[in-house]
Amino acid sequence: MKIAARTDAGLVRENNQDSYTACELVGGTVFAVVCDGMGGAAEGALASSEAVKAVKERIAERYYCGMSDISVRSLLVSALEYANRQIYDLSLTDEKYEGMGTTVVAALITDSFAYIAHAGDSRAYKISDGALTQLTRDHSVVQRMVENGEITAEEAADHPSKHIITRALGVDSEIKIDFCQEPFGDEDVIILCSDGLTNFIKTSDILSLTGDGCYYKFADRLVNLANQNGGGDNITVVTVAK
């Protein structure tokens, strides 16, 4: 597996509230997670870093070769639920932490499948046979409005409420985690990213920047273009390819 990753504060914000990790587990399976914190500069950064730490800890402890699809789903979902409880409990220890939280998108990628779990508007994409597919559904106000027919997808891109999310780790004691499983074939690419990428780069540009097989350059290219287009938010990208 070929892993490339980069996080960047962008050109506007002084602090980077995004966090990520990407590593190889036993049997060549790859694990990756991206989190985008909220709740003030220090608190958002703390929430995202603690979430990454908690999810990685749970996955590393409990993953083993030959897990069934059901077991992998249970592991990913429970890891995110564990991180939610950790952040929520931390938020109760000091009033300055009140309201802090983080989005999360996590992936376990084997030789045959990509397993994705998420909450919030950080996304997972799959590139396969020259096509880009969004694997996650944003938990956001504008996504709900699009689904209800109140606005179009094009209008959502510039809507004043586009940054308001409806689900995040640490906000409540319980959280609903979405999960999906996708085939992962030769030359396929999985991309995990925060909204600092997707708010400043077109999906067509993602395809054009990742089509030449230079896997280790993908993350840098995507972050650089988001910065060229304004860099108005923290940007994090993790790419995994065979």
Side-chain angles (χ1 to χ4, degrees), residues 58 78 80-90 173:
R58 186 55 61 98
S78 66
L80 270 58
E81 291 173 340
Y82 170 70
N84 180 71
R85 291 191 297 271
Q86 295 289 101
I87 300 165
Y88 180 74
D89 289 347
L90 180 61
S173 59

Side-chain angles (χ1 to χ4, degrees), residues 108-127:
L108 271 172
I109 305 169
T110 69
D111 192 53
S112 301
F113 292 101
Y115 306 88
I116 311 291
H118 87 290
D121 61 357
S122 291
R123 294 179 179 176
Y125 291 93
K126 176 185 173 183
I127 299 174

Side-chain angles (χ1 to χ4, degrees), residues 63-80:
Y63 179 78
Y64 59 87
C65 290
M67 291 185 78
S68 67
D69 293 343
I70 293 175
S71 295
V72 173
R73 174 175 184 158
S74 177
L75 174 60
L76 266 179
V77 171
S78 66
L80 270 58

Side-chain angles (χ1 to χ4, degrees), residues 29-52:
T29 293
V30 167
F31 164 69
V33 58
V34 169
C35 291
D36 179 359
M38 61 185 195
E43 291 72 28
L46 177 63
S48 67
S49 63
E50 287 297 311
V52 167

